[in-house]
Amino acid sequence: MEALGYGAADMGSVFGLAAHTFACAVPTQLFCDNDVTRSIAERLRRGEAIGANAITEAGAGSDAFALEATGRREDGHYVLSAVKTYVTNAAACDELLVYVKTDPDAGYLGISAFLVDRHAPGVKVGPPIQKMGLESASLASVILEDCRVPVERRLGPEGGGARIFTTSMQWERACLFGAYLGQMDLQLQECVEHARERKQFGRAIGTNQAIAHRLANMKLRLEAARLLLYRASWLIDQGEDATLSISLAKIAVSEAAVESGLDAIQIFGGLGYVRDGAVEKRLRDAVAARIFSGTSEIQRDIVASRLSRLAR
Ligand SMILES: Cc1cc2nc3c(=O)[nH]c(=O)nc-3n(C[C@H](O)[C@H](O)[C@H](O)COP(=O)(O)OP(=O)(O)OC[C@H]3O[C@@H](n4cnc5c(N)ncnc54)[C@H](O)[C@@H]3O)c2cc1C
């Protein structure tokens, strides 16, 4: 993901690919338990089907499990009713990983996950939602109206949806953000080159300590965020509880991307602010990173709750 973020001219496409991979293909692969879900996992893995993930609703954003979507079991099917919003890849996908309540009284254990065929009757995708950055990743609402989904398309056990969502977010928060590390690496190189080449007052602007320190801070942020992300990913590989490290890494990478995006604009001056260069676009692409996959505030809550557990 880091190499992809470094090499890709367009972060929106990287984001769309990451949403498919970490919020749909990976959880499907991890939790598939019958021929139908296994075959969908395989098609997602091969890229023969595009995936999306739909949990957010108008009243359930940061409080994702406050969702109102429901699923009622009926003759070998579930009948799903949902109004989901901010669904990345909604218009382009084949499979929607949708979270609904199958037992409204059971709280966390009352949520189930379903792989919904996006072209099935009862599935409607809303018009594209325009956003500040990541333009090439489509975003739309998804409405399910009495949508009949075969029982075999339930991912994991009934009531297992919250666990599936939490697992998928762990992957997304760790791996997707590697792409932002790659972007920041490239951004720093461009800033160093510009600071060396751009001359004002008869000398390169990088010879001014004010500019040089900005570059040093960008490097510091990048390396600190990178180490946190690598550590979180290593913990996942070890099969250890990576929750605390993942949240720390998510905060570090996304906030570094925004701060360094502002620094880059300052170093490029007017050239950084105008629309025809990549400089301001990187900042616009970065701002969303503090919001999706759980906001910075929610990540700090997770960190704090883990600290209080450690202190016990
Ligand atoms: C580009 C993009 C792509 C997305 N893709 C998807 C997708 O594919 N599928 C999907 O289901 N969703 C997706 N989302 C939705 C995303 O997950 C939510 O926007 C996010 O969880 C925040 O929810 P919200 O927008 O309702 O903000 P809110 O929850 O209303 O938060 C507003 C502000 O209040 C703060 N806040 C809320 N609760 C607390 C608290 N307890 N303590 C402190 N501060 C708090 C938040 O941190 C934030 O600053 C996407 C969003 C974006 C921007």
PDB file of all heavy atoms in Angstrom, residues 15 19 53-58 60-63 85-88 131 134 139 288 291-298 301, ligand 1:
ATOM      1  N   PHE A  15      -7.715   4.813  -2.767  1.00  0.00           N
ATOM      2  CA  PHE A  15      -8.705   4.742  -1.690  1.00  0.00           C
ATOM      3  C   PHE A  15      -9.829   3.759  -2.055  1.00  0.00           C
ATOM      4  O   PHE A  15     -10.257   2.939  -1.237  1.00  0.00           O
ATOM      5  CB  PHE A  15      -9.265   6.142  -1.422  1.00  0.00           C
ATOM      6  CG  PHE A  15     -10.293   6.183  -0.326  1.00  0.00           C
ATOM      7  CD1 PHE A  15      -9.939   5.964   0.990  1.00  0.00           C
ATOM      8  CD2 PHE A  15     -11.626   6.430  -0.620  1.00  0.00           C
ATOM      9  CE1 PHE A  15     -10.890   5.987   2.004  1.00  0.00           C
ATOM     10  CE2 PHE A  15     -12.582   6.468   0.379  1.00  0.00           C
ATOM     11  CZ  PHE A  15     -12.207   6.241   1.701  1.00  0.00           C
ATOM     12  N   ALA A  19     -10.743   0.426  -0.042  1.00  0.00           N
ATOM     13  CA  ALA A  19     -12.076   0.183   0.532  1.00  0.00           C
ATOM     14  C   ALA A  19     -12.568  -1.199   0.113  1.00  0.00           C
ATOM     15  O   ALA A  19     -13.101  -1.969   0.921  1.00  0.00           O
ATOM     16  CB  ALA A  19     -13.053   1.266   0.081  1.00  0.00           C
ATOM     17  N   ASN A  53     -18.470  -1.429   1.489  1.00  0.00           N
ATOM     18  CA  ASN A  53     -18.864  -1.709   2.870  1.00  0.00           C
ATOM     19  C   ASN A  53     -19.862  -0.645   3.289  1.00  0.00           C
ATOM     20  O   ASN A  53     -19.630   0.549   3.075  1.00  0.00           O
ATOM     21  CB  ASN A  53     -17.569  -1.689   3.715  1.00  0.00           C
ATOM     22  CG  ASN A  53     -17.721  -1.041   5.055  1.00  0.00           C
ATOM     23  OD1 ASN A  53     -18.309  -1.602   5.967  1.00  0.00           O
ATOM     24  ND2 ASN A  53     -17.170   0.156   5.186  1.00  0.00           N
ATOM     25  N   ALA A  54     -21.004  -1.075   3.837  1.00  0.00           N
ATOM     26  CA  ALA A  54     -22.055  -0.119   4.175  1.00  0.00           C
ATOM     27  C   ALA A  54     -22.494  -0.312   5.616  1.00  0.00           C
ATOM     28  O   ALA A  54     -23.268  -1.232   5.922  1.00  0.00           O
ATOM     29  CB  ALA A  54     -23.242  -0.292   3.220  1.00  0.00           C
ATOM     30  N   ILE A  55     -21.995   0.560   6.487  1.00  0.00           N
ATOM     31  CA  ILE A  55     -22.461   0.539   7.874  1.00  0.00           C
ATOM     32  C   ILE A  55     -23.058   1.888   8.254  1.00  0.00           C
ATOM     33  O   ILE A  55     -24.082   1.967   8.925  1.00  0.00           O
ATOM     34  CB  ILE A  55     -21.352   0.114   8.866  1.00  0.00           C
ATOM     35  CG1 ILE A  55     -21.962  -0.085  10.273  1.00  0.00           C
ATOM     36  CG2 ILE A  55     -20.189   1.108   8.894  1.00  0.00           C
ATOM     37  CD1 ILE A  55     -21.163  -0.948  11.192  1.00  0.00           C
ATOM     38  N   THR A  56     -22.422   2.994   7.779  1.00  0.00           N
ATOM     39  CA  THR A  56     -22.810   4.335   8.227  1.00  0.00           C
ATOM     40  C   THR A  56     -24.252   4.663   7.820  1.00  0.00           C
ATOM     41  O   THR A  56     -24.696   4.342   6.719  1.00  0.00           O
ATOM     42  CB  THR A  56     -21.850   5.382   7.609  1.00  0.00           C
ATOM     43  OG1 THR A  56     -20.513   5.016   7.958  1.00  0.00           O
ATOM     44  CG2 THR A  56     -22.141   6.778   8.108  1.00  0.00           C
ATOM     45  N   GLU A  57     -24.957   5.321   8.745  1.00  0.00           N
ATOM     46  CA  GLU A  57     -26.317   5.818   8.471  1.00  0.00           C
ATOM     47  C   GLU A  57     -26.380   7.261   8.951  1.00  0.00           C
ATOM     48  O   GLU A  57     -25.479   7.725   9.672  1.00  0.00           O
ATOM     49  CB  GLU A  57     -27.355   4.973   9.222  1.00  0.00           C
ATOM     50  CG  GLU A  57     -27.334   3.514   8.793  1.00  0.00           C
ATOM     51  CD  GLU A  57     -28.290   2.645   9.626  1.00  0.00           C
ATOM     52  OE1 GLU A  57     -29.035   3.196  10.469  1.00  0.00           O
ATOM     53  OE2 GLU A  57     -28.275   1.430   9.419  1.00  0.00           O
ATOM     54  N   ALA A  58     -27.463   7.947   8.617  1.00  0.00           N
ATOM     55  CA  ALA A  58     -27.584   9.360   9.024  1.00  0.00           C
ATOM     56  C   ALA A  58     -27.412   9.510  10.530  1.00  0.00           C
ATOM     57  O   ALA A  58     -26.748  10.424  11.009  1.00  0.00           O
ATOM     58  CB  ALA A  58     -28.933   9.908   8.578  1.00  0.00           C
ATOM     59  N   ALA A  60     -26.028   7.122  12.552  1.00  0.00           N
ATOM     60  CA  ALA A  60     -24.989   6.213  13.068  1.00  0.00           C
ATOM     61  C   ALA A  60     -23.694   6.429  12.298  1.00  0.00           C
ATOM     62  O   ALA A  60     -23.455   5.810  11.260  1.00  0.00           O
ATOM     63  CB  ALA A  60     -25.455   4.764  12.938  1.00  0.00           C
ATOM     64  N   GLY A  61     -22.885   7.384  12.780  1.00  0.00           N
ATOM     65  CA  GLY A  61     -21.591   7.679  12.158  1.00  0.00           C
ATOM     66  C   GLY A  61     -20.495   7.122  13.054  1.00  0.00           C
ATOM     67  O   GLY A  61     -20.184   5.930  13.000  1.00  0.00           O
ATOM     68  N   SER A  62     -19.964   7.991  13.929  1.00  0.00           N
ATOM     69  CA  SER A  62     -18.959   7.500  14.890  1.00  0.00           C
ATOM     70  C   SER A  62     -19.555   6.400  15.767  1.00  0.00           C
ATOM     71  O   SER A  62     -18.892   5.435  16.120  1.00  0.00           O
ATOM     72  CB  SER A  62     -18.492   8.652  15.783  1.00  0.00           C
ATOM     73  OG  SER A  62     -17.839   9.622  15.008  1.00  0.00           O
ATOM     74  N   ASP A  63     -20.819   6.559  16.097  1.00  0.00           N
ATOM     75  CA  ASP A  63     -21.524   5.546  16.902  1.00  0.00           C
ATOM     76  C   ASP A  63     -22.104   4.511  15.938  1.00  0.00           C
ATOM     77  O   ASP A  63     -23.321   4.369  15.788  1.00  0.00           O
ATOM     78  CB  ASP A  63     -22.639   6.254  17.700  1.00  0.00           C
ATOM     79  CG  ASP A  63     -23.260   5.344  18.744  1.00  0.00           C
ATOM     80  OD1 ASP A  63     -22.760   4.224  18.930  1.00  0.00           O
ATOM     81  OD2 ASP A  63     -24.248   5.775  19.376  1.00  0.00           O
ATOM     82  N   THR A  85     -25.378   5.527   4.182  1.00  0.00           N
ATOM     83  CA  THR A  85     -24.803   6.682   3.486  1.00  0.00           C
ATOM     84  C   THR A  85     -23.275   6.603   3.481  1.00  0.00           C
ATOM     85  O   THR A  85     -22.694   5.772   4.179  1.00  0.00           O
ATOM     86  CB  THR A  85     -25.307   8.004   4.107  1.00  0.00           C
ATOM     87  OG1 THR A  85     -24.877   9.085   3.265  1.00  0.00           O
ATOM     88  CG2 THR A  85     -24.769   8.221   5.521  1.00  0.00           C
ATOM     89  N   TYR A  86     -22.673   7.486   2.671  1.00  0.00           N
ATOM     90  CA  TYR A  86     -21.202   7.550   2.541  1.00  0.00           C
ATOM     91  C   TYR A  86     -20.600   6.189   2.204  1.00  0.00           C
ATOM     92  O   TYR A  86     -19.646   5.758   2.841  1.00  0.00           O
ATOM     93  CB  TYR A  86     -20.553   8.073   3.828  1.00  0.00           C
ATOM     94  CG  TYR A  86     -20.983   9.451   4.274  1.00  0.00           C
ATOM     95  CD1 TYR A  86     -21.109   9.756   5.621  1.00  0.00           C
ATOM     96  CD2 TYR A  86     -21.245  10.442   3.350  1.00  0.00           C
ATOM     97  CE1 TYR A  86     -21.493  11.018   6.042  1.00  0.00           C
ATOM     98  CE2 TYR A  86     -21.633  11.709   3.756  1.00  0.00           C
ATOM     99  CZ  TYR A  86     -21.760  11.986   5.099  1.00  0.00           C
ATOM    100  OH  TYR A  86     -22.138  13.236   5.510  1.00  0.00           O
ATOM    101  N   VAL A  87     -21.165   5.526   1.238  1.00  0.00           N
ATOM    102  CA  VAL A  87     -20.632   4.208   0.877  1.00  0.00           C
ATOM    103  C   VAL A  87     -19.649   4.372  -0.285  1.00  0.00           C
ATOM    104  O   VAL A  87     -20.041   4.712  -1.406  1.00  0.00           O
ATOM    105  CB  VAL A  87     -21.769   3.230   0.504  1.00  0.00           C
ATOM    106  CG1 VAL A  87     -21.187   1.866   0.122  1.00  0.00           C
ATOM    107  CG2 VAL A  87     -22.760   3.101   1.645  1.00  0.00           C
ATOM    108  N   THR A  88     -18.375   4.138   0.014  1.00  0.00           N
ATOM    109  CA  THR A  88     -17.339   4.213  -1.031  1.00  0.00           C
ATOM    110  C   THR A  88     -17.520   3.038  -1.991  1.00  0.00           C
ATOM    111  O   THR A  88     -17.791   1.921  -1.554  1.00  0.00           O
ATOM    112  CB  THR A  88     -15.934   4.159  -0.376  1.00  0.00           C
ATOM    113  OG1 THR A  88     -15.828   5.221   0.554  1.00  0.00           O
ATOM    114  CG2 THR A  88     -14.825   4.281  -1.406  1.00  0.00           C
ATOM    115  N   LYS A 131     -17.338  15.488  -3.012  1.00  0.00           N
ATOM    116  CA  LYS A 131     -16.543  15.691  -1.798  1.00  0.00           C
ATOM    117  C   LYS A 131     -15.299  16.530  -2.074  1.00  0.00           C
ATOM    118  O   LYS A 131     -14.970  16.798  -3.224  1.00  0.00           O
ATOM    119  CB  LYS A 131     -16.205  14.353  -1.149  1.00  0.00           C
ATOM    120  CG  LYS A 131     -15.643  13.316  -2.082  1.00  0.00           C
ATOM    121  CD  LYS A 131     -15.598  11.983  -1.383  1.00  0.00           C
ATOM    122  CE  LYS A 131     -15.307  10.800  -2.259  1.00  0.00           C
ATOM    123  NZ  LYS A 131     -14.984  10.959  -3.657  1.00  0.00           N
ATOM    124  N   LEU A 134     -10.198  13.059  -2.925  1.00  0.00           N
ATOM    125  CA  LEU A 134     -10.386  11.649  -3.304  1.00  0.00           C
ATOM    126  C   LEU A 134     -11.496  11.527  -4.349  1.00  0.00           C
ATOM    127  O   LEU A 134     -12.351  10.630  -4.288  1.00  0.00           O
ATOM    128  CB  LEU A 134     -10.748  10.798  -2.064  1.00  0.00           C
ATOM    129  CG  LEU A 134      -9.729  10.797  -0.919  1.00  0.00           C
ATOM    130  CD1 LEU A 134     -10.304  10.143   0.334  1.00  0.00           C
ATOM    131  CD2 LEU A 134      -8.431  10.098  -1.318  1.00  0.00           C
ATOM    132  N   LEU A 139     -18.673   7.925  -4.063  1.00  0.00           N
ATOM    133  CA  LEU A 139     -19.320   7.889  -2.747  1.00  0.00           C
ATOM    134  C   LEU A 139     -20.813   8.102  -2.984  1.00  0.00           C
ATOM    135  O   LEU A 139     -21.197   8.998  -3.736  1.00  0.00           O
ATOM    136  CB  LEU A 139     -18.755   9.032  -1.898  1.00  0.00           C
ATOM    137  CG  LEU A 139     -18.978   8.983  -0.383  1.00  0.00           C
ATOM    138  CD1 LEU A 139     -18.150   7.874   0.251  1.00  0.00           C
ATOM    139  CD2 LEU A 139     -18.606  10.310   0.270  1.00  0.00           C
ATOM    140  N   ALA A 288      -9.753  13.835   4.592  1.00  0.00           N
ATOM    141  CA  ALA A 288     -10.718  12.756   4.841  1.00  0.00           C
ATOM    142  C   ALA A 288     -10.145  11.668   5.740  1.00  0.00           C
ATOM    143  O   ALA A 288     -10.891  10.967   6.440  1.00  0.00           O
ATOM    144  CB  ALA A 288     -11.171  12.155   3.512  1.00  0.00           C
ATOM    145  N   ILE A 291     -11.190  11.406   9.176  1.00  0.00           N
ATOM    146  CA  ILE A 291     -12.623  11.144   9.391  1.00  0.00           C
ATOM    147  C   ILE A 291     -12.991   9.681   9.135  1.00  0.00           C
ATOM    148  O   ILE A 291     -13.604   9.031   9.983  1.00  0.00           O
ATOM    149  CB  ILE A 291     -13.464  12.087   8.500  1.00  0.00           C
ATOM    150  CG1 ILE A 291     -13.195  13.542   8.904  1.00  0.00           C
ATOM    151  CG2 ILE A 291     -14.954  11.758   8.613  1.00  0.00           C
ATOM    152  CD1 ILE A 291     -13.743  14.563   7.936  1.00  0.00           C
ATOM    153  N   PHE A 292     -12.617   9.158   7.940  1.00  0.00           N
ATOM    154  CA  PHE A 292     -13.078   7.794   7.652  1.00  0.00           C
ATOM    155  C   PHE A 292     -12.298   6.763   8.484  1.00  0.00           C
ATOM    156  O   PHE A 292     -11.264   7.072   9.045  1.00  0.00           O
ATOM    157  CB  PHE A 292     -13.022   7.469   6.152  1.00  0.00           C
ATOM    158  CG  PHE A 292     -11.657   7.557   5.522  1.00  0.00           C
ATOM    159  CD1 PHE A 292     -10.665   6.647   5.811  1.00  0.00           C
ATOM    160  CD2 PHE A 292     -11.379   8.562   4.604  1.00  0.00           C
ATOM    161  CE1 PHE A 292      -9.422   6.711   5.204  1.00  0.00           C
ATOM    162  CE2 PHE A 292     -10.140   8.638   3.987  1.00  0.00           C
ATOM    163  CZ  PHE A 292      -9.153   7.706   4.308  1.00  0.00           C
ATOM    164  N   SER A 293     -12.817   5.574   8.554  1.00  0.00           N
ATOM    165  CA  SER A 293     -12.274   4.466   9.376  1.00  0.00           C
ATOM    166  C   SER A 293     -12.266   4.812  10.863  1.00  0.00           C
ATOM    167  O   SER A 293     -11.472   4.254  11.621  1.00  0.00           O
ATOM    168  CB  SER A 293     -10.842   4.084   8.962  1.00  0.00           C
ATOM    169  OG  SER A 293     -10.693   4.002   7.582  1.00  0.00           O
ATOM    170  N   GLY A 294     -13.126   5.719  11.294  1.00  0.00           N
ATOM    171  CA  GLY A 294     -13.155   6.149  12.699  1.00  0.00           C
ATOM    172  C   GLY A 294     -12.352   7.428  12.847  1.00  0.00           C
ATOM    173  O   GLY A 294     -11.157   7.450  12.534  1.00  0.00           O
ATOM    174  N   THR A 295     -12.996   8.496  13.316  1.00  0.00           N
ATOM    175  CA  THR A 295     -12.345   9.808  13.378  1.00  0.00           C
ATOM    176  C   THR A 295     -11.157   9.811  14.358  1.00  0.00           C
ATOM    177  O   THR A 295     -11.020   8.909  15.187  1.00  0.00           O
ATOM    178  CB  THR A 295     -13.342  10.887  13.855  1.00  0.00           C
ATOM    179  OG1 THR A 295     -13.725  10.579  15.203  1.00  0.00           O
ATOM    180  CG2 THR A 295     -14.580  10.956  12.974  1.00  0.00           C
ATOM    181  N   SER A 296     -10.362  10.868  14.271  1.00  0.00           N
ATOM    182  CA  SER A 296      -9.218  11.009  15.201  1.00  0.00           C
ATOM    183  C   SER A 296      -9.702  10.998  16.645  1.00  0.00           C
ATOM    184  O   SER A 296      -9.053  10.433  17.528  1.00  0.00           O
ATOM    185  CB  SER A 296      -8.491  12.331  14.944  1.00  0.00           C
ATOM    186  OG  SER A 296      -7.894  12.333  13.679  1.00  0.00           O
ATOM    187  N   GLU A 297     -10.853  11.634  16.878  1.00  0.00           N
ATOM    188  CA  GLU A 297     -11.378  11.707  18.251  1.00  0.00           C
ATOM    189  C   GLU A 297     -11.726  10.296  18.756  1.00  0.00           C
ATOM    190  O   GLU A 297     -11.430   9.941  19.899  1.00  0.00           O
ATOM    191  CB  GLU A 297     -12.624  12.601  18.310  1.00  0.00           C
ATOM    192  CG  GLU A 297     -12.345  14.088  18.082  1.00  0.00           C
ATOM    193  CD  GLU A 297     -12.107  14.452  16.616  1.00  0.00           C
ATOM    194  OE1 GLU A 297     -12.362  13.609  15.722  1.00  0.00           O
ATOM    195  OE2 GLU A 297     -11.651  15.583  16.351  1.00  0.00           O
ATOM    196  N   ILE A 298     -12.352   9.513  17.894  1.00  0.00           N
ATOM    197  CA  ILE A 298     -12.726   8.153  18.303  1.00  0.00           C
ATOM    198  C   ILE A 298     -11.465   7.305  18.531  1.00  0.00           C
ATOM    199  O   ILE A 298     -11.406   6.497  19.467  1.00  0.00           O
ATOM    200  CB  ILE A 298     -13.667   7.507  17.244  1.00  0.00           C
ATOM    201  CG1 ILE A 298     -14.994   8.295  17.177  1.00  0.00           C
ATOM    202  CG2 ILE A 298     -13.920   6.033  17.526  1.00  0.00           C
ATOM    203  CD1 ILE A 298     -15.777   8.409  18.484  1.00  0.00           C
ATOM    204  N   ASP A 301     -10.197   8.077  21.852  1.00  0.00           N
ATOM    205  CA  ASP A 301     -11.028   7.395  22.857  1.00  0.00           C
ATOM    206  C   ASP A 301     -10.572   5.948  23.031  1.00  0.00           C
ATOM    207  O   ASP A 301     -10.498   5.435  24.145  1.00  0.00           O
ATOM    208  CB  ASP A 301     -12.506   7.379  22.411  1.00  0.00           C
ATOM    209  CG  ASP A 301     -13.243   8.645  22.828  1.00  0.00           C
ATOM    210  OD1 ASP A 301     -12.617   9.501  23.480  1.00  0.00           O
ATOM    211  OD2 ASP A 301     -14.442   8.756  22.489  1.00  0.00           O
TER     212      ASP A 301
HETATM  213  C1  LIG B   1     -14.296   9.833   2.206  1.00  0.00           C
HETATM  214  C2  LIG B   1     -15.167   9.020   3.107  1.00  0.00           C
HETATM  215  C3  LIG B   1     -15.422   7.697   2.799  1.00  0.00           C
HETATM  216  C4  LIG B   1     -16.270   6.927   3.603  1.00  0.00           C
HETATM  217  N1  LIG B   1     -16.540   5.636   3.233  1.00  0.00           N
HETATM  218  C5  LIG B   1     -17.416   4.908   3.974  1.00  0.00           C
HETATM  219  C6  LIG B   1     -17.781   3.579   3.547  1.00  0.00           C
HETATM  220  O1  LIG B   1     -17.283   3.037   2.547  1.00  0.00           O
HETATM  221  N2  LIG B   1     -18.726   2.920   4.270  1.00  0.00           N
HETATM  222  C7  LIG B   1     -19.304   3.459   5.391  1.00  0.00           C
HETATM  223  O2  LIG B   1     -20.146   2.797   5.996  1.00  0.00           O
HETATM  224  N3  LIG B   1     -18.972   4.701   5.816  1.00  0.00           N
HETATM  225  C8  LIG B   1     -18.038   5.437   5.146  1.00  0.00           C
HETATM  226  N4  LIG B   1     -17.705   6.720   5.548  1.00  0.00           N
HETATM  227  C9  LIG B   1     -18.328   7.279   6.737  1.00  0.00           C
HETATM  228  C10 LIG B   1     -17.372   7.429   7.907  1.00  0.00           C
HETATM  229  O3  LIG B   1     -17.070   6.198   8.475  1.00  0.00           O
HETATM  230  C11 LIG B   1     -18.009   8.411   8.896  1.00  0.00           C
HETATM  231  O4  LIG B   1     -18.061   9.687   8.251  1.00  0.00           O
HETATM  232  C12 LIG B   1     -17.232   8.522  10.185  1.00  0.00           C
HETATM  233  O5  LIG B   1     -17.333   7.343  10.935  1.00  0.00           O
HETATM  234  C13 LIG B   1     -17.732   9.699  11.058  1.00  0.00           C
HETATM  235  O6  LIG B   1     -19.114   9.686  11.185  1.00  0.00           O
HETATM  236  P1  LIG B   1     -19.956  11.031  10.897  1.00  0.00           P
HETATM  237  O7  LIG B   1     -19.521  11.537   9.576  1.00  0.00           O
HETATM  238  O8  LIG B   1     -21.381  10.732  11.101  1.00  0.00           O
HETATM  239  O9  LIG B   1     -19.454  12.067  11.971  1.00  0.00           O
HETATM  240  P2  LIG B   1     -20.001  12.198  13.481  1.00  0.00           P
HETATM  241  O10 LIG B   1     -19.999  10.864  14.141  1.00  0.00           O
HETATM  242  O11 LIG B   1     -21.266  12.978  13.476  1.00  0.00           O
HETATM  243  O12 LIG B   1     -18.848  13.062  14.136  1.00  0.00           O
HETATM  244  C14 LIG B   1     -18.781  14.488  14.009  1.00  0.00           C
HETATM  245  C15 LIG B   1     -17.672  14.973  14.920  1.00  0.00           C
HETATM  246  O13 LIG B   1     -17.993  14.641  16.283  1.00  0.00           O
HETATM  247  C16 LIG B   1     -16.948  13.898  16.851  1.00  0.00           C
HETATM  248  N5  LIG B   1     -17.457  12.925  17.805  1.00  0.00           N
HETATM  249  C17 LIG B   1     -18.488  12.048  17.645  1.00  0.00           C
HETATM  250  N6  LIG B   1     -18.619  11.285  18.742  1.00  0.00           N
HETATM  251  C18 LIG B   1     -17.659  11.678  19.602  1.00  0.00           C
HETATM  252  C19 LIG B   1     -17.245  11.263  20.896  1.00  0.00           C
HETATM  253  N7  LIG B   1     -17.870  10.269  21.544  1.00  0.00           N
HETATM  254  N8  LIG B   1     -16.200  11.887  21.474  1.00  0.00           N
HETATM  255  C20 LIG B   1     -15.552  12.889  20.840  1.00  0.00           C
HETATM  256  N9  LIG B   1     -15.877  13.322  19.608  1.00  0.00           N
HETATM  257  C21 LIG B   1     -16.909  12.718  18.995  1.00  0.00           C
HETATM  258  C22 LIG B   1     -16.283  13.211  15.669  1.00  0.00           C
HETATM  259  O14 LIG B   1     -14.953  12.788  15.981  1.00  0.00           O
HETATM  260  C23 LIG B   1     -16.329  14.301  14.629  1.00  0.00           C
HETATM  261  O15 LIG B   1     -15.282  15.205  14.849  1.00  0.00           O
HETATM  262  C24 LIG B   1     -16.846   7.495   4.768  1.00  0.00           C
HETATM  263  C25 LIG B   1     -16.564   8.827   5.094  1.00  0.00           C
HETATM  264  C26 LIG B   1     -15.738   9.585   4.293  1.00  0.00           C
HETATM  265  C27 LIG B   1     -15.449  11.005   4.663  1.00  0.00           C
END
